[in-house]
PDB file of all heavy atoms in Angstrom:
ATOM      1  N   ALA T   1       6.229  45.700  -0.497  1.00 84.00           N
ATOM      2  CA  ALA T   1       7.645  45.702  -0.197  1.00 84.00           C
ATOM      3  C   ALA T   1       8.445  44.769  -1.066  1.00 84.00           C
ATOM      4  O   ALA T   1       9.532  45.047  -1.587  1.00 84.00           O
ATOM      5  CB  ALA T   1       7.880  45.355   1.289  1.00 84.00           C
ATOM      6  N   VAL T   2       7.847  43.582  -1.335  1.00 80.00           N
ATOM      7  CA  VAL T   2       8.515  42.580  -2.167  1.00 80.00           C
ATOM      8  C   VAL T   2       8.713  43.072  -3.588  1.00 80.00           C
ATOM      9  O   VAL T   2       9.755  42.892  -4.210  1.00 80.00           O
ATOM     10  CB  VAL T   2       7.715  41.265  -2.162  1.00 80.00           C
ATOM     11  CG1 VAL T   2       8.191  40.334  -3.250  1.00 80.00           C
ATOM     12  CG2 VAL T   2       7.880  40.565  -0.806  1.00 80.00           C
ATOM     13  N   ASN T   3       7.693  43.768  -4.115  1.00 77.00           N
ATOM     14  CA  ASN T   3       7.739  44.253  -5.451  1.00 77.00           C
ATOM     15  C   ASN T   3       8.545  45.526  -5.623  1.00 77.00           C
ATOM     16  O   ASN T   3       8.726  46.027  -6.724  1.00 77.00           O
ATOM     17  CB  ASN T   3       6.297  44.523  -5.989  1.00 77.00           C
ATOM     18  CG  ASN T   3       5.523  43.250  -6.115  1.00 77.00           C
ATOM     19  OD1 ASN T   3       6.078  42.144  -6.252  1.00 77.00           O
ATOM     20  ND2 ASN T   3       4.201  43.358  -6.052  1.00 77.00           N
ATOM     21  N   GLY T   4       9.046  46.036  -4.499  1.00 75.00           N
ATOM     22  CA  GLY T   4       9.836  47.294  -4.538  1.00 75.00           C
ATOM     23  C   GLY T   4       9.037  48.521  -4.900  1.00 75.00           C
ATOM     24  O   GLY T   4       9.631  49.541  -5.319  1.00 75.00           O
ATOM     25  N   GLN T   5       7.704  48.481  -4.760  1.00 77.00           N
ATOM     26  CA  GLN T   5       6.878  49.629  -5.074  1.00 77.00           C
ATOM     27  C   GLN T   5       6.781  50.586  -3.859  1.00 77.00           C
ATOM     28  O   GLN T   5       5.752  50.702  -3.222  1.00 77.00           O
ATOM     29  CB  GLN T   5       5.472  49.157  -5.523  1.00 77.00           C
ATOM     30  CG  GLN T   5       5.517  48.278  -6.763  1.00 77.00           C
ATOM     31  CD  GLN T   5       4.129  47.711  -7.014  1.00 77.00           C
ATOM     32  OE1 GLN T   5       3.448  47.195  -6.150  1.00 77.00           O
ATOM     33  NE2 GLN T   5       3.719  47.796  -8.311  1.00 77.00           N
ATOM     34  N   TYR T   6       7.924  51.209  -3.533  1.00 84.00           N
ATOM     35  CA  TYR T   6       7.986  51.960  -2.337  1.00 84.00           C
ATOM     36  C   TYR T   6       7.138  53.219  -2.374  1.00 84.00           C
ATOM     37  O   TYR T   6       6.560  53.635  -1.358  1.00 84.00           O
ATOM     38  CB  TYR T   6       9.418  52.317  -2.020  1.00 84.00           C
ATOM     39  CG  TYR T   6      10.321  51.116  -1.789  1.00 84.00           C
ATOM     40  CD1 TYR T   6      11.596  51.080  -2.232  1.00 84.00           C
ATOM     41  CD2 TYR T   6       9.818  49.996  -1.108  1.00 84.00           C
ATOM     42  CE1 TYR T   6      12.422  49.984  -2.014  1.00 84.00           C
ATOM     43  CE2 TYR T   6      10.610  48.874  -0.875  1.00 84.00           C
ATOM     44  CZ  TYR T   6      11.939  48.867  -1.358  1.00 84.00           C
ATOM     45  OH  TYR T   6      12.704  47.750  -1.105  1.00 84.00           O
ATOM     46  N   TRP T   7       6.989  53.816  -3.503  1.00 85.00           N
ATOM     47  CA  TRP T   7       6.109  55.004  -3.597  1.00 85.00           C
ATOM     48  C   TRP T   7       4.676  54.646  -3.370  1.00 85.00           C
ATOM     49  O   TRP T   7       3.937  55.388  -2.708  1.00 85.00           O
ATOM     50  CB  TRP T   7       6.326  55.703  -4.942  1.00 85.00           C
ATOM     51  CG  TRP T   7       5.742  54.965  -6.106  1.00 85.00           C
ATOM     52  CD1 TRP T   7       6.396  54.020  -6.829  1.00 85.00           C
ATOM     53  CD2 TRP T   7       4.462  55.104  -6.675  1.00 85.00           C
ATOM     54  NE1 TRP T   7       5.585  53.507  -7.823  1.00 85.00           N
ATOM     55  CE2 TRP T   7       4.376  54.221  -7.691  1.00 85.00           C
ATOM     56  CE3 TRP T   7       3.343  55.899  -6.376  1.00 85.00           C
ATOM     57  CZ2 TRP T   7       3.233  54.041  -8.538  1.00 85.00           C
ATOM     58  CZ3 TRP T   7       2.161  55.766  -7.130  1.00 85.00           C
ATOM     59  CH2 TRP T   7       2.171  54.857  -8.225  1.00 85.00           C
ATOM     60  N   VAL T   8       4.255  53.461  -3.816  1.00 88.00           N
ATOM     61  CA  VAL T   8       2.896  52.963  -3.530  1.00 88.00           C
ATOM     62  C   VAL T   8       2.766  52.632  -2.068  1.00 88.00           C
ATOM     63  O   VAL T   8       1.705  52.888  -1.437  1.00 88.00           O
ATOM     64  CB  VAL T   8       2.572  51.770  -4.417  1.00 88.00           C
ATOM     65  CG1 VAL T   8       1.154  51.295  -4.146  1.00 88.00           C
ATOM     66  CG2 VAL T   8       2.761  52.088  -5.890  1.00 88.00           C
ATOM     67  N   LEU T   9       3.853  52.057  -1.505  1.00 88.00           N
ATOM     68  CA  LEU T   9       3.835  51.735  -0.098  1.00 88.00           C
ATOM     69  C   LEU T   9       3.609  53.007   0.761  1.00 88.00           C
ATOM     70  O   LEU T   9       2.798  52.991   1.704  1.00 88.00           O
ATOM     71  CB  LEU T   9       5.187  51.125   0.300  1.00 88.00           C
ATOM     72  CG  LEU T   9       5.328  50.570   1.700  1.00 88.00           C
ATOM     73  CD1 LEU T   9       4.453  49.348   1.911  1.00 88.00           C
ATOM     74  CD2 LEU T   9       6.784  50.258   2.040  1.00 88.00           C
ATOM     75  N   PHE T  10       4.279  54.050   0.426  1.00 90.00           N
ATOM     76  CA  PHE T  10       4.089  55.341   1.160  1.00 90.00           C
ATOM     77  C   PHE T  10       2.680  55.897   0.897  1.00 90.00           C
ATOM     78  O   PHE T  10       2.025  56.406   1.872  1.00 90.00           O
ATOM     79  CB  PHE T  10       5.132  56.354   0.693  1.00 90.00           C
ATOM     80  CG  PHE T  10       6.458  56.222   1.388  1.00 90.00           C
ATOM     81  CD1 PHE T  10       7.560  55.555   0.760  1.00 90.00           C
ATOM     82  CD2 PHE T  10       6.639  56.673   2.682  1.00 90.00           C
ATOM     83  CE1 PHE T  10       8.737  55.475   1.391  1.00 90.00           C
ATOM     84  CE2 PHE T  10       7.878  56.534   3.332  1.00 90.00           C
ATOM     85  CZ  PHE T  10       8.941  55.932   2.658  1.00 90.00           C
ATOM     86  N   LEU T  11       2.193  55.766  -0.287  1.00 91.00           N
ATOM     87  CA  LEU T  11       0.874  56.292  -0.636  1.00 91.00           C
ATOM     88  C   LEU T  11      -0.205  55.541   0.157  1.00 91.00           C
ATOM     89  O   LEU T  11      -1.124  56.138   0.710  1.00 91.00           O
ATOM     90  CB  LEU T  11       0.643  56.219  -2.131  1.00 91.00           C
ATOM     91  CG  LEU T  11      -0.568  56.934  -2.675  1.00 91.00           C
ATOM     92  CD1 LEU T  11      -0.459  58.455  -2.444  1.00 91.00           C
ATOM     93  CD2 LEU T  11      -0.706  56.664  -4.162  1.00 91.00           C
ATOM     94  N   VAL T  12      -0.083  54.208   0.160  1.00 90.00           N
ATOM     95  CA  VAL T  12      -1.066  53.396   0.878  1.00 90.00           C
ATOM     96  C   VAL T  12      -0.998  53.663   2.398  1.00 90.00           C
ATOM     97  O   VAL T  12      -1.985  53.813   3.113  1.00 90.00           O
ATOM     98  CB  VAL T  12      -0.854  51.898   0.602  1.00 90.00           C
ATOM     99  CG1 VAL T  12      -1.771  51.063   1.485  1.00 90.00           C
ATOM    100  CG2 VAL T  12      -1.164  51.618  -0.850  1.00 90.00           C
ATOM    101  N   GLY T  13       0.266  53.777   2.904  1.00 89.00           N
ATOM    102  CA  GLY T  13       0.446  54.097   4.298  1.00 89.00           C
ATOM    103  C   GLY T  13      -0.152  55.440   4.701  1.00 89.00           C
ATOM    104  O   GLY T  13      -0.789  55.615   5.742  1.00 89.00           O
ATOM    105  N   LEU T  14       0.014  56.413   3.811  1.00 90.00           N
ATOM    106  CA  LEU T  14      -0.558  57.774   4.043  1.00 90.00           C
ATOM    107  C   LEU T  14      -2.086  57.656   4.073  1.00 90.00           C
ATOM    108  O   LEU T  14      -2.766  58.273   4.913  1.00 90.00           O
ATOM    109  CB  LEU T  14      -0.124  58.712   2.913  1.00 90.00           C
ATOM    110  CG  LEU T  14      -0.555  60.154   3.077  1.00 90.00           C
ATOM    111  CD1 LEU T  14       0.203  60.792   4.253  1.00 90.00           C
ATOM    112  CD2 LEU T  14      -0.203  60.948   1.782  1.00 90.00           C
ATOM    113  N   GLY T  15      -2.634  56.866   3.149  1.00 90.00           N
ATOM    114  CA  GLY T  15      -4.089  56.692   3.120  1.00 90.00           C
ATOM    115  C   GLY T  15      -4.604  55.985   4.368  1.00 90.00           C
ATOM    116  O   GLY T  15      -5.637  56.362   4.963  1.00 90.00           O
ATOM    117  N   PHE T  16      -3.906  54.930   4.817  1.00 87.00           N
ATOM    118  CA  PHE T  16      -4.253  54.234   6.053  1.00 87.00           C
ATOM    119  C   PHE T  16      -4.293  55.223   7.232  1.00 87.00           C
ATOM    120  O   PHE T  16      -5.184  55.189   8.089  1.00 87.00           O
ATOM    121  CB  PHE T  16      -3.253  53.092   6.340  1.00 87.00           C
ATOM    122  CG  PHE T  16      -3.691  51.826   5.705  1.00 87.00           C
ATOM    123  CD1 PHE T  16      -2.830  50.705   5.794  1.00 87.00           C
ATOM    124  CD2 PHE T  16      -4.858  51.695   5.017  1.00 87.00           C
ATOM    125  CE1 PHE T  16      -3.180  49.492   5.259  1.00 87.00           C
ATOM    126  CE2 PHE T  16      -5.208  50.465   4.437  1.00 87.00           C
ATOM    127  CZ  PHE T  16      -4.387  49.382   4.532  1.00 87.00           C
ATOM    128  N   GLY T  17      -3.258  56.051   7.280  1.00 87.00           N
ATOM    129  CA  GLY T  17      -3.192  57.047   8.392  1.00 87.00           C
ATOM    130  C   GLY T  17      -4.373  58.021   8.394  1.00 87.00           C
ATOM    131  O   GLY T  17      -4.907  58.355   9.478  1.00 87.00           O
ATOM    132  N   LEU T  18      -4.769  58.437   7.210  1.00 89.00           N
ATOM    133  CA  LEU T  18      -5.857  59.405   7.129  1.00 89.00           C
ATOM    134  C   LEU T  18      -7.231  58.814   7.469  1.00 89.00           C
ATOM    135  O   LEU T  18      -8.028  59.463   8.089  1.00 89.00           O
ATOM    136  CB  LEU T  18      -5.919  60.034   5.742  1.00 89.00           C
ATOM    137  CG  LEU T  18      -4.757  60.969   5.332  1.00 89.00           C
ATOM    138  CD1 LEU T  18      -4.839  61.355   3.881  1.00 89.00           C
ATOM    139  CD2 LEU T  18      -4.797  62.232   6.190  1.00 89.00           C
ATOM    140  N   VAL T  19      -7.459  57.577   7.024  1.00 88.00           N
ATOM    141  CA  VAL T  19      -8.798  57.017   7.200  1.00 88.00           C
ATOM    142  C   VAL T  19      -8.934  56.231   8.548  1.00 88.00           C
ATOM    143  O   VAL T  19     -10.070  55.977   8.996  1.00 88.00           O
ATOM    144  CB  VAL T  19      -9.134  56.036   6.075  1.00 88.00           C
ATOM    145  CG1 VAL T  19      -9.061  56.707   4.716  1.00 88.00           C
ATOM    146  CG2 VAL T  19      -8.201  54.799   6.056  1.00 88.00           C
ATOM    147  N   THR T  20      -7.813  55.958   9.225  1.00 86.00           N
ATOM    148  CA  THR T  20      -7.888  55.195  10.500  1.00 86.00           C
ATOM    149  C   THR T  20      -8.562  56.075  11.590  1.00 86.00           C
ATOM    150  O   THR T  20      -9.367  55.556  12.360  1.00 86.00           O
ATOM    151  CB  THR T  20      -6.481  54.785  10.929  1.00 86.00           C
ATOM    152  OG1 THR T  20      -5.926  53.843  10.033  1.00 86.00           O
ATOM    153  CG2 THR T  20      -6.572  54.085  12.315  1.00 86.00           C
ATOM    154  N   ILE T  21      -8.211  57.319  11.625  1.00 87.00           N
ATOM    155  CA  ILE T  21      -8.751  58.180  12.698  1.00 87.00           C
ATOM    156  C   ILE T  21     -10.263  58.346  12.632  1.00 87.00           C
ATOM    157  O   ILE T  21     -10.955  58.138  13.658  1.00 87.00           O
ATOM    158  CB  ILE T  21      -8.096  59.546  12.645  1.00 87.00           C
ATOM    159  CG1 ILE T  21      -6.586  59.461  13.107  1.00 87.00           C
ATOM    160  CG2 ILE T  21      -8.795  60.549  13.552  1.00 87.00           C
ATOM    161  CD1 ILE T  21      -6.432  58.884  14.515  1.00 87.00           C
ATOM    162  N   PRO T  22     -10.882  58.668  11.513  1.00 87.00           N
ATOM    163  CA  PRO T  22     -12.367  58.715  11.475  1.00 87.00           C
ATOM    164  C   PRO T  22     -12.990  57.361  11.805  1.00 87.00           C
ATOM    165  O   PRO T  22     -14.149  57.357  12.242  1.00 87.00           O
ATOM    166  CB  PRO T  22     -12.657  59.138  10.047  1.00 87.00           C
ATOM    167  CG  PRO T  22     -11.440  59.808   9.572  1.00 87.00           C
ATOM    168  CD  PRO T  22     -10.298  59.063  10.218  1.00 87.00           C
ATOM    169  N   ALA T  23     -12.283  56.259  11.561  1.00 82.00           N
ATOM    170  CA  ALA T  23     -12.890  54.946  11.811  1.00 82.00           C
ATOM    171  C   ALA T  23     -12.631  54.476  13.252  1.00 82.00           C
ATOM    172  O   ALA T  23     -13.173  53.419  13.697  1.00 82.00           O
ATOM    173  CB  ALA T  23     -12.261  53.905  10.913  1.00 82.00           C
ATOM    174  N   GLU T  24     -11.855  55.212  14.050  1.00 81.00           N
ATOM    175  CA  GLU T  24     -11.529  54.836  15.431  1.00 81.00           C
ATOM    176  C   GLU T  24     -12.627  55.305  16.366  1.00 81.00           C
ATOM    177  O   GLU T  24     -12.902  56.488  16.540  1.00 81.00           O
ATOM    178  CB  GLU T  24     -10.200  55.420  15.858  1.00 81.00           C
ATOM    179  CG  GLU T  24      -9.834  55.231  17.315  1.00 81.00           C
ATOM    180  CD  GLU T  24      -9.631  53.747  17.606  1.00 81.00           C
ATOM    181  OE1 GLU T  24      -8.674  53.127  17.015  1.00 81.00           O
ATOM    182  OE2 GLU T  24     -10.330  53.203  18.448  1.00 81.00           O
ATOM    183  N   PRO T  25     -13.391  54.348  17.013  1.00 79.00           N
ATOM    184  CA  PRO T  25     -14.501  54.781  17.895  1.00 79.00           C
ATOM    185  C   PRO T  25     -14.050  55.680  19.007  1.00 79.00           C
ATOM    186  O   PRO T  25     -14.775  56.604  19.395  1.00 79.00           O
ATOM    187  CB  PRO T  25     -15.020  53.413  18.416  1.00 79.00           C
ATOM    188  CG  PRO T  25     -14.576  52.387  17.418  1.00 79.00           C
ATOM    189  CD  PRO T  25     -13.253  52.895  16.894  1.00 79.00           C
ATOM    190  N   SER T  26     -12.872  55.415  19.588  1.00 80.00           N
ATOM    191  CA  SER T  26     -12.396  56.201  20.725  1.00 80.00           C
ATOM    192  C   SER T  26     -12.142  57.654  20.367  1.00 80.00           C
ATOM    193  O   SER T  26     -12.330  58.538  21.215  1.00 80.00           O
ATOM    194  CB  SER T  26     -11.120  55.601  21.292  1.00 80.00           C
ATOM    195  OG  SER T  26     -11.294  54.301  21.653  1.00 80.00           O
ATOM    196  N   VAL T  27     -11.794  57.929  19.110  1.00 86.00           N
ATOM    197  CA  VAL T  27     -11.583  59.279  18.645  1.00 86.00           C
ATOM    198  C   VAL T  27     -12.877  60.067  18.707  1.00 86.00           C
ATOM    199  O   VAL T  27     -12.894  61.245  19.129  1.00 86.00           O
ATOM    200  CB  VAL T  27     -10.948  59.313  17.244  1.00 86.00           C
ATOM    201  CG1 VAL T  27     -10.928  60.715  16.686  1.00 86.00           C
ATOM    202  CG2 VAL T  27      -9.524  58.714  17.273  1.00 86.00           C
ATOM    203  N   HIS T  28     -13.985  59.488  18.263  1.00 85.00           N
ATOM    204  CA  HIS T  28     -15.251  60.147  18.331  1.00 85.00           C
ATOM    205  C   HIS T  28     -15.686  60.446  19.744  1.00 85.00           C
ATOM    206  O   HIS T  28     -16.237  61.565  19.976  1.00 85.00           O
ATOM    207  CB  HIS T  28     -16.295  59.245  17.610  1.00 85.00           C
ATOM    208  CG  HIS T  28     -16.138  59.155  16.135  1.00 85.00           C
ATOM    209  ND1 HIS T  28     -16.683  60.026  15.220  1.00 85.00           N
ATOM    210  CD2 HIS T  28     -15.427  58.245  15.396  1.00 85.00           C
ATOM    211  CE1 HIS T  28     -16.345  59.663  13.974  1.00 85.00           C
ATOM    212  NE2 HIS T  28     -15.591  58.568  14.072  1.00 85.00           N
ATOM    213  N   ILE T  29     -15.390  59.548  20.638  1.00 82.00           N
ATOM    214  CA  ILE T  29     -15.750  59.783  22.066  1.00 82.00           C
ATOM    215  C   ILE T  29     -14.974  60.981  22.588  1.00 82.00           C
ATOM    216  O   ILE T  29     -15.529  61.886  23.219  1.00 82.00           O
ATOM    217  CB  ILE T  29     -15.494  58.548  22.874  1.00 82.00           C
ATOM    218  CG1 ILE T  29     -16.375  57.413  22.438  1.00 82.00           C
ATOM    219  CG2 ILE T  29     -15.670  58.830  24.364  1.00 82.00           C
ATOM    220  CD1 ILE T  29     -16.040  56.042  23.095  1.00 82.00           C
ATOM    221  N   LEU T  30     -13.668  61.021  22.304  1.00 83.00           N
ATOM    222  CA  LEU T  30     -12.861  62.125  22.803  1.00 83.00           C
ATOM    223  C   LEU T  30     -13.193  63.452  22.192  1.00 83.00           C
ATOM    224  O   LEU T  30     -13.366  64.466  22.890  1.00 83.00           O
ATOM    225  CB  LEU T  30     -11.347  61.789  22.547  1.00 83.00           C
ATOM    226  CG  LEU T  30     -10.357  62.878  22.975  1.00 83.00           C
ATOM    227  CD1 LEU T  30     -10.420  63.114  24.482  1.00 83.00           C
ATOM    228  CD2 LEU T  30      -8.954  62.532  22.502  1.00 83.00           C
ATOM    229  N   THR T  31     -13.336  63.473  20.831  1.00 88.00           N
ATOM    230  CA  THR T  31     -13.598  64.748  20.194  1.00 88.00           C
ATOM    231  C   THR T  31     -15.023  65.308  20.582  1.00 88.00           C
ATOM    232  O   THR T  31     -15.144  66.517  20.726  1.00 88.00           O
ATOM    233  CB  THR T  31     -13.580  64.562  18.644  1.00 88.00           C
ATOM    234  OG1 THR T  31     -14.463  63.531  18.261  1.00 88.00           O
ATOM    235  CG2 THR T  31     -12.142  64.253  18.216  1.00 88.00           C
ATOM    236  N   GLN T  32     -15.945  64.427  20.769  1.00 86.00           N
ATOM    237  CA  GLN T  32     -17.274  64.898  21.214  1.00 86.00           C
ATOM    238  C   GLN T  32     -17.208  65.470  22.615  1.00 86.00           C
ATOM    239  O   GLN T  32     -17.880  66.476  22.920  1.00 86.00           O
ATOM    240  CB  GLN T  32     -18.291  63.772  21.143  1.00 86.00           C
ATOM    241  CG  GLN T  32     -18.673  63.390  19.726  1.00 86.00           C
ATOM    242  CD  GLN T  32     -19.492  62.116  19.649  1.00 86.00           C
ATOM    243  OE1 GLN T  32     -19.919  61.578  20.685  1.00 86.00           O
ATOM    244  NE2 GLN T  32     -19.694  61.570  18.447  1.00 86.00           N
ATOM    245  N   GLN T  33     -16.433  64.834  23.456  1.00 81.00           N
ATOM    246  CA  GLN T  33     -16.250  65.367  24.857  1.00 81.00           C
ATOM    247  C   GLN T  33     -15.538  66.691  24.810  1.00 81.00           C
ATOM    248  O   GLN T  33     -15.869  67.609  25.612  1.00 81.00           O
ATOM    249  CB  GLN T  33     -15.533  64.390  25.767  1.00 81.00           C
ATOM    250  CG  GLN T  33     -15.365  64.926  27.172  1.00 81.00           C
ATOM    251  CD  GLN T  33     -15.052  63.819  28.171  1.00 81.00           C
ATOM    252  OE1 GLN T  33     -15.378  62.654  27.967  1.00 81.00           O
ATOM    253  NE2 GLN T  33     -14.387  64.197  29.267  1.00 81.00           N
ATOM    254  N   ILE T  34     -14.526  66.804  23.953  1.00 85.00           N
ATOM    255  CA  ILE T  34     -13.801  68.097  23.847  1.00 85.00           C
ATOM    256  C   ILE T  34     -14.741  69.252  23.423  1.00 85.00           C
ATOM    257  O   ILE T  34     -14.739  70.309  24.064  1.00 85.00           O
ATOM    258  CB  ILE T  34     -12.662  67.972  22.808  1.00 85.00           C
ATOM    259  CG1 ILE T  34     -11.540  67.033  23.336  1.00 85.00           C
ATOM    260  CG2 ILE T  34     -12.074  69.353  22.492  1.00 85.00           C
ATOM    261  CD1 ILE T  34     -10.484  66.697  22.313  1.00 85.00           C
ATOM    262  N   GLU T  35     -15.560  68.965  22.437  1.00 86.00           N
ATOM    263  CA  GLU T  35     -16.515  70.008  22.001  1.00 86.00           C
ATOM    264  C   GLU T  35     -17.544  70.274  23.047  1.00 86.00           C
ATOM    265  O   GLU T  35     -17.934  71.489  23.291  1.00 86.00           O
ATOM    266  CB  GLU T  35     -17.230  69.544  20.722  1.00 86.00           C
ATOM    267  CG  GLU T  35     -18.167  70.640  20.136  1.00 86.00           C
ATOM    268  CD  GLU T  35     -18.587  70.297  18.702  1.00 86.00           C
ATOM    269  OE1 GLU T  35     -17.911  69.471  18.069  1.00 86.00           O
ATOM    270  OE2 GLU T  35     -19.631  70.849  18.283  1.00 86.00           O
ATOM    271  N   SER T  36     -17.959  69.274  23.786  1.00 82.00           N
ATOM    272  CA  SER T  36     -18.954  69.483  24.866  1.00 82.00           C
ATOM    273  C   SER T  36     -18.404  70.259  26.030  1.00 82.00           C
ATOM    274  O   SER T  36     -19.004  71.183  26.532  1.00 82.00           O
ATOM    275  CB  SER T  36     -19.474  68.102  25.349  1.00 82.00           C
ATOM    276  OG  SER T  36     -20.361  68.266  26.443  1.00 82.00           O
ATOM    277  N   GLU T  37     -17.199  69.846  26.474  1.00 76.00           N
ATOM    278  CA  GLU T  37     -16.575  70.494  27.682  1.00 76.00           C
ATOM    279  C   GLU T  37     -16.205  71.936  27.394  1.00 76.00           C
ATOM    280  O   GLU T  37     -16.147  72.745  28.300  1.00 76.00           O
ATOM    281  CB  GLU T  37     -15.348  69.680  28.095  1.00 76.00           C
ATOM    282  CG  GLU T  37     -15.681  68.296  28.665  1.00 76.00           C
ATOM    283  CD  GLU T  37     -16.223  68.375  30.065  1.00 76.00           C
ATOM    284  OE1 GLU T  37     -16.139  69.423  30.733  1.00 76.00           O
ATOM    285  OE2 GLU T  37     -16.816  67.387  30.497  1.00 76.00           O
ATOM    286  N   THR T  38     -15.892  72.237  26.140  1.00 78.00           N
ATOM    287  CA  THR T  38     -15.465  73.587  25.785  1.00 78.00           C
ATOM    288  C   THR T  38     -16.597  74.457  25.236  1.00 78.00           C
ATOM    289  O   THR T  38     -16.378  75.504  24.674  1.00 78.00           O
ATOM    290  CB  THR T  38     -14.297  73.600  24.794  1.00 78.00           C
ATOM    291  OG1 THR T  38     -14.728  72.937  23.646  1.00 78.00           O
ATOM    292  CG2 THR T  38     -13.114  72.866  25.372  1.00 78.00           C
ATOM    293  N   ALA T  39     -17.833  73.953  25.357  1.00 75.00           N
ATOM    294  CA  ALA T  39     -19.030  74.642  24.905  1.00 75.00           C
ATOM    295  C   ALA T  39     -18.930  75.012  23.416  1.00 75.00           C
ATOM    296  O   ALA T  39     -19.420  76.084  22.963  1.00 75.00           O
ATOM    297  CB  ALA T  39     -19.253  75.900  25.748  1.00 75.00           C
ATOM    298  N   GLY T  40     -18.295  74.144  22.637  1.00 81.00           N
ATOM    299  CA  GLY T  40     -18.229  74.311  21.179  1.00 81.00           C
ATOM    300  C   GLY T  40     -17.126  75.202  20.685  1.00 81.00           C
ATOM    301  O   GLY T  40     -17.007  75.393  19.472  1.00 81.00           O
ATOM    302  N   SER T  41     -16.314  75.753  21.591  1.00 81.00           N
ATOM    303  CA  SER T  41     -15.216  76.618  21.137  1.00 81.00           C
ATOM    304  C   SER T  41     -14.106  75.853  20.415  1.00 81.00           C
ATOM    305  O   SER T  41     -13.409  76.392  19.584  1.00 81.00           O
ATOM    306  CB  SER T  41     -14.668  77.376  22.326  1.00 81.00           C
ATOM    307  OG  SER T  41     -14.131  76.548  23.288  1.00 81.00           O
ATOM    308  N   ILE T  42     -13.958  74.579  20.785  1.00 84.00           N
ATOM    309  CA  ILE T  42     -13.031  73.721  20.065  1.00 84.00           C
ATOM    310  C   ILE T  42     -13.839  72.635  19.380  1.00 84.00           C
ATOM    311  O   ILE T  42     -14.422  71.733  19.989  1.00 84.00           O
ATOM    312  CB  ILE T  42     -12.018  73.053  21.065  1.00 84.00           C
ATOM    313  CG1 ILE T  42     -11.261  74.112  21.860  1.00 84.00           C
ATOM    314  CG2 ILE T  42     -11.015  72.175  20.282  1.00 84.00           C
ATOM    315  CD1 ILE T  42     -10.339  73.536  22.910  1.00 84.00           C
ATOM    316  N   LYS T  43     -13.927  72.754  18.060  1.00 87.00           N
ATOM    317  CA  LYS T  43     -14.815  71.911  17.262  1.00 87.00           C
ATOM    318  C   LYS T  43     -14.241  70.462  17.135  1.00 87.00           C
ATOM    319  O   LYS T  43     -13.024  70.236  16.997  1.00 87.00           O
ATOM    320  CB  LYS T  43     -15.000  72.451  15.884  1.00 87.00           C
ATOM    321  CG  LYS T  43     -15.679  73.820  15.865  1.00 87.00           C
ATOM    322  CD  LYS T  43     -17.091  73.796  16.471  1.00 87.00           C
ATOM    323  CE  LYS T  43     -17.768  75.116  16.356  1.00 87.00           C
ATOM    324  NZ  LYS T  43     -19.108  75.101  16.998  1.00 87.00           N
ATOM    325  N   ALA T  44     -15.144  69.487  17.247  1.00 88.00           N
ATOM    326  CA  ALA T  44     -14.737  68.064  17.149  1.00 88.00           C
ATOM    327  C   ALA T  44     -14.120  67.749  15.792  1.00 88.00           C
ATOM    328  O   ALA T  44     -13.168  67.046  15.659  1.00 88.00           O
ATOM    329  CB  ALA T  44     -15.950  67.163  17.404  1.00 88.00           C
ATOM    330  N   LEU T  45     -14.745  68.324  14.703  1.00 90.00           N
ATOM    331  CA  LEU T  45     -14.212  68.032  13.372  1.00 90.00           C
ATOM    332  C   LEU T  45     -12.799  68.549  13.202  1.00 90.00           C
ATOM    333  O   LEU T  45     -11.970  67.896  12.553  1.00 90.00           O
ATOM    334  CB  LEU T  45     -15.160  68.650  12.317  1.00 90.00           C
ATOM    335  CG  LEU T  45     -14.783  68.451  10.859  1.00 90.00           C
ATOM    336  CD1 LEU T  45     -14.738  66.974  10.538  1.00 90.00           C
ATOM    337  CD2 LEU T  45     -15.744  69.185   9.915  1.00 90.00           C
TER     338      LEU T  45
END
């Protein structure tokens, strides 16, 4: 922000958003339960 590199700021923010979900333990718990409860019709991935 100080350097005024706003396009890089958006790019890094976009990257953070994409990689945060696979790294979130709670997401894996929820997606696995979704796939299990729906007998695989809704895939965790």
Side-chain angles (χ1 to χ4, degrees):
V2 167
N3 295 335
Q5 298 173 314
Y6 297 143
W7 69 273
V8 181
L9 186 69
F10 277 101
L11 191 61
V12 173
L14 186 68
F16 271 177
L18 289 173
V19 302
T20 295
I21 289 301
E24 176 64 62
S26 301
V27 171
H28 290 272
I29 295 172
L30 177 63
T31 55
Q32 288 170 8
Q33 179 162 336
I34 290 171
E35 184 167 339
S36 174
E37 292 285 343
T38 61
S41 59
I42 303 175
K43 298 298 183 183
L45 181 60

